[in-house]
Amino acid sequence: MKMKMEQRYELTGSGCLGPGLKDDTEVKVLNRIVRWMDQGAEYEADPRHVEQIIRDLELLGAKSLTTQGPKPTFQQACHSNPLQQNKLRPFRAIAARANYLAMDSPGVQYAAKEICRWMAAPTEASIVALKRLRRYLQGCSRLIFKYPWQTVEKVYAYSDTDWAGRPKTRKSTNGGCLMVGAHLIKSWSSTQAVISLSSGEAEFYGVVKASGIGLGYQALLGDLGWRVPLRVWTDSSAAIGIC
């Protein structure tokens, strides 16, 4: 197949990952590091993004934090002073880098999402949130996913929501993850498009999103010849009743 493709396309190969004697034990895929281990596989996001964020936000002597930051208050969200003109472009560049990093770092997804909501009109509160994220990354600069060999019978999708968590718009946030056994396959943190009038309504929207993601992955496994059932979890009795 590779020979046929090389007849029409210019290919760049970073290696061949696998257990064979001539296979590579570590390759890069879109700058993500993937390793083949005797116990399974490992996956690590591009570490350069964290290093660049820490360099761009020069906070010499700042201590690292274990949390990404509290939710903004109504005063911070609605009445914070606009950012100076010369700081707009650097803020947007760092925020975009954090958003890209969030695809491979579940711990920063919510913080990066909230920071990016200031993209159109950054304020002083947005800089505070970005510096808080930087101090968190300083203490958690690397995240390695470990995927040991396992046997599973189901795909699990977990859903939870933050009802009316946005103080300015009163919109809720969907959060969840997709698990195959003990392996994290996908996680998400996204703002709901509509304003939920109750926590049960917000939780139901979260279950719908988790179910859609789970069904999509179930179909992907079906294309590979694996037929596995899907189970969706939520802690909301109201959402369970609606379902």
Side-chain angles (χ1 to χ4, degrees):
M1 183 179 68
K2 182 181 178 182
M3 292 174 59
K4 286 290 186 181
M5 293 182 66
E6 286 177 336
Q7 294 176 6
R8 300 191 60 179
Y9 306 104
E10 181 181 348
L11 301 182
T12 301
S14 59
C16 181
L17 188 72
L21 295 177
K22 296 183 179 181
D23 293 337
D24 298 306
T25 58
E26 181 178 308
V27 298
K28 285 189 175 182
V29 182
L30 297 176
N31 289 324
R32 277 86 164 176
I33 302 172
V34 186
R35 302 181 185 91
W36 188 279
M37 315 289 287
D38 293 337
Q39 301 81 14
E42 289 184 356
Y43 175 90
E44 181 180 0
D46 186 356
R48 295 178 301 174
H49 292 298
V50 175
E51 297 170 1
Q52 188 66 44
I53 291 174
I54 293 175
R55 276 199 304 267
D56 291 343
L57 290 170
E58 299 176 357
L59 296 175
L60 298 177
K63 295 181 179 180
S64 62
L65 298 173
T66 57
T67 59
Q68 305 89 331
K71 287 191 243 179
T73 63
F74 182 82
Q75 180 70 23
Q76 291 173 327
C78 303
H79 302 294
S80 181
N81 295 326
L83 205 59
Q84 298 177 11
Q85 191 69 28
N86 62 334
K87 295 182 179 180
L88 295 180
R89 186 170 182 178
F91 166 79
R92 289 173 176 143
I94 301 173
R97 188 178 294 276
N99 189 47
Y100 186 82
L101 175 66
M103 290 191 294
D104 302 308
S105 300
V108 305
Q109 285 178 341
Y110 179 79
K113 172 185 77 76
E114 291 298 302
I115 290 171
C116 286
R117 291 181 68 84
W118 270 299
M119 278 285 204
T123 64
E124 293 178 356
S126 63
I127 287 292
V128 173
L130 195 57
K131 289 181 178 179
R132 177 92 184 202
L133 177 60
R134 183 260 189 225
R135 292 175 65 184
Y136 169 80
L137 292 173
Q138 180 177 327
C140 304
S141 58
R142 295 182 64 189
L143 175 63
I144 299 175
F145 294 90
K146 294 181 180 292
Y147 296 101
W149 310 127
Q150 63 173 358
T151 301
V152 298
E153 297 180 352
K154 293 180 180 178
V155 173
Y156 295 100
Y158 295 85
S159 171
D160 198 4
T161 61
D162 178 24
W163 177 44
R166 290 287 302 172
K168 185 176 182 179
T169 63
R170 310 307 296 170
K171 287 187 177 181
S172 307
T173 296
N174 291 325
C177 62
L178 186 70
M179 304 288 293
V180 176
H183 297 173
L184 175 65
I185 303 301
K186 182 179 177 63
S187 62
W188 60 90
S189 178
S190 59
T191 304
Q192 293 182 358
V194 298
I195 298 176
S196 302
L197 302 183
S198 68
S199 60
E201 182 183 354
E203 294 281 359
F204 176 68
Y205 293 151
V207 169
V208 171
K209 181 177 180 64
S211 301
I213 293 175
L215 289 171
Y217 190 72
Q218 187 185 43
L220 175 63
L221 293 179
D223 293 339
L224 299 173
W226 296 331
R227 308 295 176 183
V228 292
L230 169 67
R231 190 171 189 179
V232 181
W233 295 84
T234 178
D235 61 353
S236 171
S237 58
I240 294 173
I242 297 173
C243 292

